Structure formats: C-alpha cells, structure tokens
C-alpha cells in the first residue's frame, strides 16, 4: 500500500477545467496564482496544465474551494 | 437523549445551533417528521448533497416552498391545487405556469434547463463585473451613514441593512429604487408566505396572494417598458431572452426578476444585521477589527460561517441513495443544513466560536456547485463597504435590548431590528 501511495505522489498532476461550469469567481487564482489566471474578459487560463509537484497542496485547495466545482486534479 | 428537530418549531427558530450540534454528533442524517425531509448536518455530507446535482434535484425547492410534489398530478393533490389556484387567481399567470415540469424559477430547476437560465445573467456577477459597482455602493453607504451619524438612537436594520442591498439590487435589476418600501413589503410577504408564519395560513388570509399580485403586476409593467425601450440592466437582459432567444417564458421572466430581487436583498440584509450583532456580542472581536480594518473581508466570511443568512436548502433524491451509511429512498426530500455544516468541528475547529482571525474559507453559506449564489461577490462588496463605515462607529454604540427577535422564516436568519443608542 505504501509503495503505491508513493508512486501516486510522483505521478504527473494534470489540471482540468469544466468551462461550462466556470464563472470566473477567481478563487483559484487567489489560492494558486502560479497555475490560474482570470483574463480581462473573464475567461480562465490554466498557466500550468501539468503543474509542478510543489503546487499540489495549493491546487487541491483551489479544487475544493471552487464555488462551482469546475476544477479537477488528476493523478 | 433523543433529538427532536423540527425546523418549523419555535424552539429551533429561537436558537437552532444546539440542535445542529446534536444532529451532527448523534444523527448526521436524520429523518425530520416536521420537515418531511432527511436532514443532513455534517460539512462533508452537505458538500456532497450540494455538489451531486444529478443525485439531488433542486425541484425539491418547489416542493418544499410551494407544496408542489415531483411529477405533480393535480387530481391526487386537491389541497395543493386549492392553494395554487388561490395564488394565481388574482395574478396574470396560469396555473400551468407554476406546475409544469421545468417551468420553475432558477432555484427550483436542474441542468440543462438551469444552465440556460443561469447563462442569461451570470456574466454580470463575476468579481470583475461587480467591482464596477463599488463606487456606487460607497455613495449609497455614505448617504445612509449620514443619517445614522446624526441620530442619537436608531434601528440599524432599517437605517442600513435593509436599504443598502435593496437600493443596490433595484439598480442592478433596473427597477425604481424609490419603490424600495414596496419591494421590501413584497419581499417579506413572499418569504413569510413560503417559509414563515404565512405558510400555515391560507394564501388569502395571510395576504400572500395579494402580495404576489402586486409584485408580479409591477414587474410585468417594467418588463413591458423594457421591451419597448431597452436599457443596460438585468430586466432588459431577461426580456431579451424571452423575445430574442425564446429561452424564457413571460412567466419565467417575472419569476427570475422576483428571485433576483428577493435573494439580492433578504440575504445581504441579514448578513449585515448578523455581523453587527456578532460583533456586539463579542467585544474582543470588535476591538480587533476596529484596530485592524484589513480584517474586514475575513469578518464577512466568518460572519457568513457563524450565522448563515440561509440556514438550509431542499433537494430531492433522484434515485435510491446512501448518505453516511443511511439509506434514502428515491424521491425523498433531503435538507442540507448549510448553517450546521458551517459550524462542524470536523471542518472548522471550535466551530461555535466567532473568531474573525480564523480561516473561514470553504464555508457553504453561499452553497456550492451549479447553484452557488450568483450574487456572492455583490454580497461581499456590500458587506465590506458597509462594515468599513459602521465598524468604527460601533464602539460608541450600545444595544437597547440584547434580546434578538429573528425574521419570520425558518430558512432565512437575521435580526428584525437592532436598536442602538449612543454610549453616554
């Protein structure tokens, strides 16, 4: 069990946005500006599709706090 | 001790929080005979119900508030028909407008119909678009504060908490702010009619029918005016969706306007009142924010967490489901208790304490998922600007009566009035 968890942790994370749900609340940008930017026209740009492992905690927080639950983090 | 939780009871209305704690600790998924619903009280379970909109339908809001059961068959429910008939008889709409599947207001429908309605208005409510209103909100607060500063004694609720959000939402919507006393009367009548004492009386006796007639009549008139002469306001966006894209019926335009007007004022009014009371109840917290106004945004969220203006919602299980090991049959009503989730110690340490230095992020006072409060950024803006003005004044003010009388609703929570006088 332990080894599989370790494997998971080193696996590359991927960020997914459901653009039908996103309403530019910009919470993700506040929590993790390294990975998210809300543009002038209220569209969301993912700055790092495959973000660095060091951002895992912030990304999880962004996913959890997204008001419309429009974000997903895989791996 | 067996829990006896009925959200409609006087005892719960007086202070629901001990009940919420008992529910979370002893019966996190509890059948409330009084509510006719499974009451869900823990943070993670409430998140689950709110997020999984395919499992938990919002048509339950219509069931709970208007008494219309799912897949409504009028022949089986003569008492419901009688009430609805009384409700529409005096107004411009047909009975079918209320009862048809998917015909409802934005808070009572699910995707994909919900997505269509939401998309008509949602772009206007992003933080960027709402920030444009800050200057105007400040002007309104300044004007209201001018009267407050000149008074030795005043009711904070009628002097600030009621007029501020009412004027703002009236301007956003494009209805006449001068009619705000009517809007407030109609809005209170509606809240009481569906979630307060008016619910127990007939539609005619409680005045609910008459209120709705006036309310819908007024909005219908405005809608007609915007069709003839479009403006840059939300009513125009709604009538455009009716005329151009045909995505709304005439009835839905009016319902939408009513929901925006009511949701835009009742909630923020209570946010302001609840916050002021919480600060007066906790002088140490008041002291903190007076000394450091940069805590005001945190104060807004902690207040929403501590005393949520909307206590709970209703959903319907669309299939047999299980929550925290409790089996819930298809078509049962489920009531996620937002106000209890926000006090859950499993999520918020020492949840019953009012602490503006805590991280209150993640509270579900605005809901979560597809129905997340459209006006959250507007509410936060109004709260922030109002508190920047009123907080410095509070140290020189005292309540004439610390006993709080709450508004006439089991859903909406906030003080009816806060009588303040200058400290001698």
């Amino acid at each position: 069990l332990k080894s599989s968890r370790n494997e998971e942790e080193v696996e590359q994370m991927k960020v997914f946005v459901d653009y039908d749900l996103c309403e530019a609340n910009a919470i993700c940008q506040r929590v993790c500006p390294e990975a998210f930017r809300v543009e002038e026209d209220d569209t969301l740009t993912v700055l790092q599709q495959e973000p660095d492992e060091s951002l895992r905690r912030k990304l999880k927080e962004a996913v959890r706090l997204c008001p419309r639950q429009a974000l997903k983090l895989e791996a | 001790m067996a829990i006896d939780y009925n959200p409609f009871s006087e005892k719960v209305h007086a202070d629901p929080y001990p009940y919420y704690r008992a529910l979370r600790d002893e019966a996190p998924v509890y059948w409330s005979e009084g509510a006719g619903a499974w009451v869900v009280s823990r943070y993670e379970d409430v998140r689950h119900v709110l997020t999984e909109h395919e499992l938990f339908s919002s048509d339950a809001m219509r069931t709970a508030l208007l008494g219309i059961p799912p897949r409504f068959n009028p022949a089986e429910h003569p008492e419901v028909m009688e009430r609805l008939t009384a409700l529409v008889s005096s107004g411009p709409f047909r009975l079918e407008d209320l009862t048809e599947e998917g015909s409802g207001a934005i808070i009572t429908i699910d995707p994909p119909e919900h997505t269509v309605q939401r998309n008509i208005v949602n772009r206007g409510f992003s933080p960027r678009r709402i920030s444009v209103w800050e200057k105007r909100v400040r002007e309104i607060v300044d004007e209201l504060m001018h009267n407050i500063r000149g008074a030795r004694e005043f009711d904070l609720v009628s002097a600030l908490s009621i007029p501020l959000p009412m004027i703002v939402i009236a301007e956003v919507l494009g209805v006449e702010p001068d009619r705000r006393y009517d809007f407030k009367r109609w809005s209170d009548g509606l809240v009481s009619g569906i979630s307060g004492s008016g619910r127990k009386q007939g539609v005619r006796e409680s005045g609910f029918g008459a209120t709705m007639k006036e309310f819908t009549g007024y909005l219908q008139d405005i809608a007609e005016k915007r069709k003839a002469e479009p403006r840059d306001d939300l009513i125009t966006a709604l009538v455009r969706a009716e005329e151009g894209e045909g995505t709304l019926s005439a009835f839905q335009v009016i319902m939408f306007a009513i929901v925006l007007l009511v949701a835009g004022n009742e909630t923020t009014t209570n946010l302001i009142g609840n916050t002021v009371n919480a600060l007066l109840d906790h002088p140490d917290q008041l002291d903190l924010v007076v000394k450091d106004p940069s805590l005001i945004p945190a104060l807004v969220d902690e207040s929403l967490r501590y005393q949520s203006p909307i206590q709970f919602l209703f959903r319907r299980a669309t299939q047999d489901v299980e929550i925290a090991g409790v089996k819930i049959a298809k078509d049962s009503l489920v009531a996620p208790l937002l106000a209890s989730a926000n006090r859950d110690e499993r999520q918020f340490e020492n949840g019953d304490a009012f602490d503006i230095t805590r991280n209150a992020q993640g509270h579900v006072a605005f809901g979560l998922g597809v129905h997340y409060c459209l006006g959250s950024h507007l509410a936060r803006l109004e709260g922030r600007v109002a508190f920047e003005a009123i907080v410095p004044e509070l140290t020189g003010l005292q309540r004439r009566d610390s006993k709080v009388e709450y508004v006439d609703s089991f859903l909406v929570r906030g003080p009816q009035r806060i009588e303040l006088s200058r400290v001698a």
Side-chain angles (χ1 to χ4, degrees):
Chain A
L1 238 166
K2 199 172 179 224
S3 70
S4 76
R5 193 181 298 152
N6 283 343
E7 261 168 49
E8 255 179 39
E9 273 175 16
V10 293
E11 220 175 288
Q12 178 59 55
M13 289 184 291
K14 281 192 184 133
V15 177
F16 294 91
V17 182
D18 185 335
Y19 283 99
D20 290 335
L21 288 176
C22 176
E23 285 183 344
N25 284 291
I27 306 293
C28 54
Q29 176 181 266
R30 197 183 67 208
V31 174
C32 188
E34 297 89 340
F36 302 102
R37 187 176 67 217
V38 177
E39 309 292 349
E40 288 288 323
D41 66 352
D42 271 344
T43 54
L44 176 63
T45 302
V46 179
L47 302 170
Q48 300 188 41
Q49 302 276 356
E50 299 193 347
D52 189 77
E53 185 57 34
S54 62
L55 295 177
R56 181 179 290 271
R57 197 187 51 78
K58 281 190 184 181
L59 287 165
K60 279 181 139 173
E61 176 87 346
V63 168
R64 207 167 149 75
L65 290 182
C66 173
R68 293 261 293 171
Q69 296 289 286
L71 299 176
K72 233 192 254 169
L73 189 62
E74 279 183 14
Chain B
M1 184 197 79
I3 302 167
D4 179 19
Y5 172 72
N6 174 0
F8 308 148
S9 77
E10 294 287 326
K11 273 164 83 177
V12 170
H13 190 252
D15 183 10
Y17 294 103
Y19 290 90
Y20 295 163
R21 173 182 283 279
L23 288 168
R24 288 194 303 273
D25 290 346
E26 295 163 43
V29 180
Y30 169 87
W31 173 255
S32 167
E33 197 61 47
W38 289 97
V39 171
V40 177
S41 50
R42 283 188 186 168
Y43 180 80
E44 286 301 332
D45 297 332
V46 166
R47 278 186 69 110
H48 172 67
V49 172
L50 296 176
T51 311
E52 300 295 326
H53 58 84
E54 286 177 11
L55 293 179
F56 301 100
S57 166
S58 285
D59 64 14
M61 295 294 284
R62 202 172 63 154
T63 311
L65 301 179
L66 287 176
I68 304 173
R71 289 181 300 281
F72 178 55
N73 178 0
E76 288 172 25
H77 300 277
E79 76 294 348
V80 176
M81 280 309 278
E82 200 186 317
R83 186 173 164 82
L84 294 178
T85 307
L87 195 53
V88 295
S89 65
S90 47
F93 297 108
R94 304 164 306 143
L95 199 54
E96 300 79 60
D97 288 326
L98 276 177
T99 57
E100 269 165 11
E101 293 291 320
S103 68
I106 189 165
I107 60 167
T108 71
I109 55 177
D110 303 306
E113 289 85 2
H114 171 264
T115 315
V116 173
Q117 286 208 23
R118 181 110 177 171
N119 286 346
I120 298 166
V121 291
N122 62 0
R123 287 294 159 189
F125 287 91
S126 72
R128 195 182 305 273
R129 296 287 295 276
I130 288 302
S131 67
V132 174
W133 284 89
E134 175 151 354
K135 189 168 159 277
R136 180 65 192 131
V137 171
R138 231 167 254 291
E139 282 172 11
I140 298 166
V141 168
D142 283 349
E143 212 170 294
L144 296 169
M145 286 304 293
H146 179 78
N147 298 333
I148 286 175
R149 291 198 181 101
R152 284 207 55 80
E153 293 180 348
F154 60 93
D155 167 26
L156 182 99
V157 174
S158 54
L160 180 68
S161 338
I162 290 174
L164 169 62
M166 193 47 108
I167 296 169
V168 173
I169 195 64
E171 292 187 8
V172 171
L173 202 55
V175 294
E176 300 139 289
D178 291 351
R179 294 288 298 266
R180 67 174 191 262
Y181 299 102
D182 285 327
F183 300 148
K184 184 62 187 168
R185 184 166 53 82
W186 296 334
S187 184
D188 286 350
L190 178 63
V191 168
S192 169
I194 60 180
S195 75
S197 57
R199 193 183 158 91
K200 294 176 196 129
Q201 302 167 295
V203 168
R204 281 194 190 87
E205 297 75 46
S206 67
F208 186 29
T211 298
M212 290 311 289
K213 184 188 177 187
E214 274 186 74
F215 205 169
T216 52
Y218 173 78
L219 289 169
Q220 221 181 8
D221 182 48
I222 296 281
E224 287 307 318
K225 284 184 178 147
R226 291 299 179 280
K227 279 178 194 170
E229 242 178 281
R231 288 192 198 170
D232 183 20
D233 59 28
L234 268 181
I235 295 261
T236 302
L238 295 177
V239 297
R240 207 167 266 153
E242 180 197 345
E243 293 201 303
E245 297 107 67
T247 41
L248 291 179
S249 68
F251 173 72
Q252 284 173 322
V253 168
I254 303 304
M255 286 311 292
F256 211 139
I258 288 178
V259 169
L260 291 170
L261 202 58
V262 173
N265 80 80
E266 296 288 344
T267 47
T268 309
T269 291
N270 294 317
L271 162 64
I272 296 170
N274 288 334
T275 307
V276 167
N277 267 339
L279 288 173
L280 294 172
D281 287 339
H282 301 85
D284 57 321
Q285 301 295 307
L286 174 59
D287 199 40
L288 280 176
V289 68
V290 167
K291 287 190 178 127
D292 181 4
S294 73
L295 284 168
I296 284 176
L299 165 68
V300 173
D301 277 297
E302 174 61 354
S303 170
L304 288 163
R305 185 199 70 79
Y306 180 73
Q307 180 88 286
S308 307
I310 303 287
Q311 294 278 296
F312 59 93
L313 300 170
F314 286 102
R315 296 289 185 262
R316 174 180 61 87
T318 58
Q319 59 189 67
D320 291 349
V321 289
E322 207 176 296
I323 305 173
V326 176
K327 287 192 170 62
I328 293 176
K330 182 176 185 234
D331 286 340
S332 305
L333 286 191
V334 177
L337 293 186
L338 309 180
S340 169
N342 287 339
R343 297 268 189 124
D344 189 350
E345 298 73 15
R346 293 153 196 84
Q347 175 68 19
F348 301 101
E349 202 182 319
N350 204 1
D352 281 332
F354 180 65
D355 174 5
I356 65 171
T357 63
R358 79 161 76 229
N359 179 5
Q361 299 301 312
H363 70 71
V364 288
F366 289 125
L368 189 70
V370 294
H371 286 277
Y372 183 82
C373 174
L374 189 63
S376 69
H377 302 291
L378 187 56
R380 283 198 168 101
L381 169 65
E382 291 175 44
R384 180 166 54 79
V385 174
F387 301 142
E388 281 169 11
I390 196 71
V391 160
E393 305 275 322
L394 287 179
T395 45
L397 293 164
Q398 61 191 9
R399 270 178 302 203
R400 288 160 63 196
D401 186 355
S402 64
K403 190 176 171 338
V404 181
E405 203 179 309
Y406 285 93
V407 295
D408 178 21
S409 167
F410 57 82
L411 277 185
V412 178
R413 189 159 185 84
Q416 296 244 17
R417 63 194 75 81
I418 305 174
E419 299 284 353
L420 296 174
S421 59
R422 307 271 161 204
V423 179

